[in-house]
Amino acid sequence: MHGVQQTQRTLVGVAEHRARVAALIPPTPVERRPVGDCLGLALATDLESPIALPPFDNSAMDGYAVRSVDVATAAPEAPVSLPVAEDIPAGRGDVPPLLPGTAHRIMTGAPVPSGADAVVPVESTDGGVSEVLVRAAARPGAHIRWAGEDVRTGEVVLPAGIGLGPAQLGLAAAVGADRLAVRRPLRVLVLSTGSELVEPGQPLRGGQIYESNGVMLASAVRAAGGTAELLRFVPDDVDAFHRALAPWLDRVDLVLTSGGVSAGAYEVVKEALSGRGVSFHKVAVQPGGPQGLGRYDGGVPVVTLPGNPVSSLVSFEVFVRPALRAAMGFAETERPRRRATLVESLRSVSGKRQYRRGRFDEAAEDTVTVAPVGGPGSHLLSALARANCLLEVPENTTDLPAGSEVTVWLLG
C-alpha cells in the first residue's frame, strides 16, 4: 500500500490550479462526422461555403413575378390585368424570361425569371391562372431573395471552435456540407467512492446516504459536451479501488473522482492514488479546498474533487469544465460573466476566493441584481439547485455590503 502524500501547507491559487488542470488534459482528436452526428460538438476547422446562399434569385412568396413598372398603377379599386405566361414551381430549372406586360405565376423558393424585378403576393391578386388581376403596386425587389444575400461564395460561414447547435448544422447542410471536421467528445469516467453510499430508490439504513455526486458530475460532463461513464459504489478499500479502475484505463480520456481527498482517515482516493502519479493539495477557494490531479501511473489524466456535493460541483465549474471545453476545441470555454448589484450583504473568508450560490435577475429596467441563495455550507445542495449563478468574491474581500458590484458566473 502506498503512503498518503501529505497535504501541502501553502495554498495553491485558483488561477494556478485552473492552469494545472487545463495542462493535464490534451486536445481530443479531430474526426470527420456526418453533419447529423455533430450536435453539441465543436467545429475543428473553418467551414467555407462553396456556394452562395441563396444560390439564385428566388421568390419569397407564392404569387406572381412581374416587372414593377407594369403594376405601378395597380390598386384595389383599379387593378391591372396581366396575362399569365408561365407557371414556375419550386425546383423548375428551365425558367423562361418574363416578357413586358406579362406575369409568371411563381411559388415560394422558385427561381425568379430574368426580366422580373418584383413578386406580387397572391393575396394582392385574384389568383388567376391564365390572366391575373393585380390589386397592389410592387416596388422593385419586392419579395425577392437575391442570390448571395445571405452567404457569399467562399465566405467562412462557421468558424473553428463554434459549438454546433441546430442552426449551425442547418447552415452547414444548406451550403452542401455532408461531413464536418469536429473534435471528438472527451470520454470521462466519473468514479464515486464510499461505503456509505446507496443507490437512489433503495431503502436507507443507519449511516447511509444516497449517492448523488456521480449523477451530478456525469451530467455536468455531458452538459459541457463530453461523454461520461458512471462507476458508482466503489467501497472504501484501496485494492477494490484499483480493481474497479483497471478496466477503464485505456477506454477514457479522464478519470474524475469525488470524495476521499481530505485530511481525515478513510480517504481512499487519496490513499490509492498517492504515489501513483497523482498529487494532492489545498486550493485557496471556498468551497472545494482539497483538490488533486495527475496521471495514473503516468497514463490517463486524473482529477480528484472533494466529496461534499456543493464543493464537488463548484470545483467542476471552476476547474474542470473550462479544461474539458478547451480540450474539445470550443472557442467559448468559460461561463458567461456579468456584473451585478448585490441586494444583501455577505461575508467571506480572508485569503480564499469564494463562490456563493446566487439568483441573478435582470428583469428590472435599469438594474441588474444578484441575491445570495443559502449559506456558504458545502453540503447545501438544495441552494445550488435553486441558484442560476455563482457569485465570485475575491480572495482579499471579507465584507461585501448590499449595493456592492460583484462578478457572477451565469449557469445553465
Side-chain angles (χ1 to χ4, degrees):
M1 183 181 297
H2 296 274
V4 176
Q5 180 176 324
Q6 295 299 312
T7 301
Q8 298 176 7
R9 292 182 180 274
T10 302
L11 295 180
V12 175
V14 170
E16 181 180 350
H17 188 64
R18 277 167 60 91
R20 291 181 183 181
V21 174
L24 183 69
I25 307 172
T28 58
V30 175
E31 301 176 337
R32 290 194 63 81
R33 293 192 176 195
V35 169
D37 293 339
C38 293
L39 181 64
L41 304 182
L43 191 64
T45 58
D46 290 348
L47 177 64
E48 295 184 4
S49 177
I51 63 170
L53 282 185
F56 51 85
D57 300 341
N58 69 88
S59 178
M61 301 286 287
D62 291 338
Y64 296 84
V66 299
R67 297 168 71 243
S68 58
V69 294
D70 288 340
V71 296
T73 63
E77 64 280 2
V80 170
S81 177
L82 295 173
V84 177
E86 293 285 344
D87 264 356
I88 310 176
R92 180 173 177 179
D94 59 335
V95 178
L98 179 74
L99 299 179
T102 67
H104 288 181
R105 192 168 67 152
I106 194 168
M107 302 300 117
T108 302
V112 174
S114 62
D117 68 348
V119 171
V120 178
V122 68
E123 293 84 359
S124 297
T125 73
D126 69 346
V129 175
S130 59
E131 186 170 327
V132 62
L133 291 178
V134 178
R135 297 191 174 101
R139 58 174 176 76
H143 306 299
I144 293 178
R145 304 164 177 158
W146 300 108
E149 180 181 337
D150 187 15
V151 171
R152 300 182 303 277
T153 301
E155 180 180 349
V156 174
V157 291
L158 294 173
I162 193 171
L164 296 171
Q168 291 75 31
L169 296 177
L171 176 57
V175 301
D178 61 337
R179 288 179 174 270
L180 295 175
V182 294
R183 290 278 177 189
R184 174 175 61 72
L186 202 76
R187 302 168 303 195
V188 181
L189 174 67
V190 177
L191 195 153
S192 180
T193 65
S195 298
E196 78 281 12
L197 301 177
V198 177
E199 184 175 4
Q202 301 300 313
L204 289 177
R205 295 193 295 269
Q208 293 182 327
I209 60 173
Y210 288 122
E211 198 286 317
S212 59
N213 282 8
V215 172
M216 180 174 66
L217 291 174
S219 298
V221 167
R222 294 176 187 127
T227 64
E229 296 288 346
L230 179 54
L231 181 59
R232 298 195 289 179
F233 315 119
V234 178
D236 289 330
D237 178 85
V238 170
D239 291 335
F241 181 94
H242 289 299
R243 286 196 302 271
L245 186 56
W248 295 94
L249 296 178
D250 59 354
R251 297 164 55 187
V252 297
D253 304 303
L254 174 69
V255 174
L256 186 64
T257 72
S258 64
V261 295
S262 295
Y266 304 107
E267 302 295 339
V268 66
V269 172
K270 196 171 188 180
E271 189 173 354
L273 297 179
S274 292
R276 304 292 293 263
V278 179
S279 62
F280 299 87
H281 47 264
K282 287 271 193 175
V283 178
V285 66
Q286 188 185 50
Q291 303 283 339
L293 79 170
R295 290 183 174 275
Y296 185 83
D297 289 340
V300 64
V302 177
V303 174
T304 71
L305 304 180
N308 279 318
V310 174
S311 297
S312 195
L313 190 57
V314 169
S315 296
F316 179 90
E317 287 289 337
V318 176
F319 302 118
V320 181
R321 185 181 184 275
L324 299 188
R325 300 274 294 175
M328 291 184 290
F330 288 96
E332 294 184 0
T333 61
E334 302 286 345
R335 291 289 193 182
R337 310 287 209 272
R338 294 289 300 274
R339 295 288 287 176
T341 301
L342 192 62
V343 300
E344 61 185 72
S345 63
L346 59 79
R347 293 181 58 83
S348 187
V349 178
S350 178
K352 293 185 178 182
R353 190 180 305 182
Q354 191 175 75
Y355 292 91
R356 294 284 294 271
R357 290 128 282 180
R359 287 293 303 177
F360 176 82
D361 184 6
E362 53 184 347
E365 188 170 320
D366 299 317
T367 306
V368 177
T369 62
V370 62
V373 177
S378 57
H379 63 294
L380 301 175
L381 186 56
S382 65
L384 184 57
R386 298 195 304 273
N388 64 2
C389 71
L390 294 178
L391 192 159
E392 185 178 59
V393 183
E395 288 85 341
N396 297 323
T397 301
T398 57
D399 292 281
L400 281 172
S404 301
E405 289 291 309
V406 295
T407 297
V408 299
W409 297 22
L410 302 184
L411 304 175

